[in-house]
Amino acid sequence: MNLSTTIAGVTFPTCFMNAAGACCVTQEELEALGESHAGAIVTKSMTPQPREGNPGPRYHSFPGGSINSMGLPNLGYPAYAKLIPELRRFGKPIVASIAGLNPQDFLEAAKAIELAKPDLVEVNLSCPNLPGEPQIAYDIEASRRILLELQECLTIPMGVKLPPYFDPVHHEAMAGMLEGVNVSFLSLINSVGNGLVIDPESETVVIKPKGGFGGIGGTIIKPVALANVRAFWKLFQGRMPIIGVGGVVTGTDAFEHLLCGASAVQVGTTLVEEGLTAFERLEKELSEVLTKKGYASVDDCRGRLKEL
Ligand code: DHB
């Protein structure tokens, strides 16, 4: 089965890759992604300075998914800029995720990372876990300003990682703004921000930062992820490549993202819980689903969701 896919002119050997944040902070983790069946290496969202992140416990899984408030632990962009050329040896696309606490951070990271020549840059406008910092992508004008500045200093295609939106008016407002900037793909969605998971037995929250509030991922967010993939696919009439993220546990989950319009999928909670062998399993499962349904490739089924 042909599971390869092309996004913004970059061909991925398979349509599965890690979600930014999942198993991709350290050199060892990035190399392990290189050696795995992952179709790409996506870095942790990087900031100018190295960060320890929030105090633990800061990740917790439960039967339907996970909650996290990592707080952007990362090596800082100089370290990733140095690592990226070394990761080339794995022969798969490299996606650099950049983040920041202010617009200047994004620009600095973009300028340094441009020189390291990743294949794509994923601009993370949707980190929910920085105490006191709103998610940028819930502010259309702030997002526009950052993307306009970034497009001036990047020649590598840039995409945007968005948070979930829950109303068509918000999908339309974001899509309308994106029409006016040079964005080559969308990664949809980041975790559902500021959920709360509690343990009724001990009567406590399960993670420490922000009084227990954190980003929700995994199976329980799949309907929200699919809705966002579908909404943006339709708003751009299938002309904006989308990487679907959220609730990919099985090959069938990935198939659902493809039907909604995704060109590839990223795996977060499942990767953290199951480890890198998840990629091989997902490939096998998706191949079986596509074969059974008579599709010859990822391209063949993309966006083909039927409406009633
Ligand atoms: C973190 C979480 C996110 O969902 C994100 O987009 C960036 C960073 C974090 O807490 O590290």
Side-chain angles (χ1 to χ4, degrees):
M1 178 57 62
N2 178 8
L3 294 185
S4 75
T5 189
T6 300
I7 293 169
V10 176
T11 297
F12 296 72
T14 92
C15 64
F16 292 104
M17 66 192 90
N18 65 298
C23 309
C24 59
V25 176
T26 64
Q27 176 171 356
E28 292 70 29
E29 286 176 316
L30 293 164
E31 288 174 347
L33 284 166
E35 276 153 16
S36 78
H37 274 240
I41 304 173
V42 183
T43 71
K44 173 70 182 170
S45 294
M46 58 190 83
T47 54
Q49 306 299 325
R51 289 173 58 90
E52 294 279 337
N54 293 335
R58 56 191 191 178
Y59 173 90
H60 175 90
S61 69
F62 53 95
S66 67
I67 183 168
N68 87 82
S69 184
M70 308 303 286
L72 276 174
N74 78 96
L75 305 178
Y77 70 71
Y80 295 109
K82 185 158 173 289
L83 266 172
I84 286 169
E86 295 169 24
L87 295 171
R88 282 266 156 246
R89 69 183 188 275
F90 296 106
K92 56 177 84 169
I94 299 167
V95 182
S97 171
I98 63 173
L101 310 187
N102 55 60
Q104 195 53 35
D105 285 359
F106 281 92
L107 273 184
E108 258 186 62
K111 283 179 185 158
I113 236 49
E114 166 89 6
L115 300 174
K117 298 203 181 334
D119 296 275
L120 298 172
V121 173
E122 188 181 81
V123 181
N124 182 358
L125 297 183
S126 47
C127 177
N129 297 335
L130 299 170
E133 301 281 343
Q135 289 173 75
I136 297 163
Y138 285 140
D139 179 337
I140 304 280
E141 286 313 311
S143 302
R144 187 202 312 273
R145 283 194 295 275
I146 289 178
L147 294 174
L148 284 175
E149 289 196 47
L150 284 175
Q151 77 185 28
E152 292 308 314
C153 61
L154 278 175
T155 61
I156 292 161
M158 91 177 159
V160 188
K161 176 94 170 261
L162 294 177
Y165 299 99
F166 301 94
D167 192 290
V169 165
H170 296 149
H171 293 127
E172 286 160 21
M174 179 45 82
M177 184 278 281
L178 291 169
E179 297 273 13
V181 295
N182 193 5
V183 158
S184 302
F185 68 97
L186 302 178
S187 298
L188 307 172
I189 56 176
N190 208 319
S191 51
V192 173
N194 296 293
L196 184 61
V197 174
I198 67 175
D199 177 3
E201 193 58 42
S202 61
E203 305 174 21
T204 55
V205 299
V206 298
I207 57 172
K208 183 175 172 70
K210 287 177 70 175
F213 286 54
I216 308 293
T219 298
I220 62 168
I221 73 162
K222 189 177 74 171
V224 177
L226 294 178
N228 276 269
V229 170
R230 190 65 180 166
F232 281 98
W233 167 258
K234 289 178 111 176
L235 283 165
F236 285 98
Q237 295 166 323
R239 288 191 216 106
M240 176 70 86
I242 294 172
I243 303 178
V245 203
V248 176
V249 183
T250 67
T252 301
D253 297 324
F255 178 61
E256 292 179 14
H257 272 275
L258 301 179
L259 284 178
C260 289
S263 294
V265 295
Q266 294 180 344
V267 188
T269 300
T270 297
L271 190 57
V272 173
E273 292 302 309
E274 186 176 338
L276 295 166
T277 54
F279 287 118
E280 243 177 300
R281 176 183 61 77
L282 285 165
E283 268 176 44
K284 186 166 162 288
E285 290 176 3
L286 178 60
S287 296
E288 282 166 8
V289 173
L290 294 181
T291 303
K292 194 171 117 209
K293 293 188 155 279
Y295 289 112
S297 66
V298 165
D299 278 354
D300 206 15
C301 69
R302 186 177 55 242
R304 291 210 188 218
L305 183 65
K306 296 175 200 146
E307 295 183 8
L308 301 176

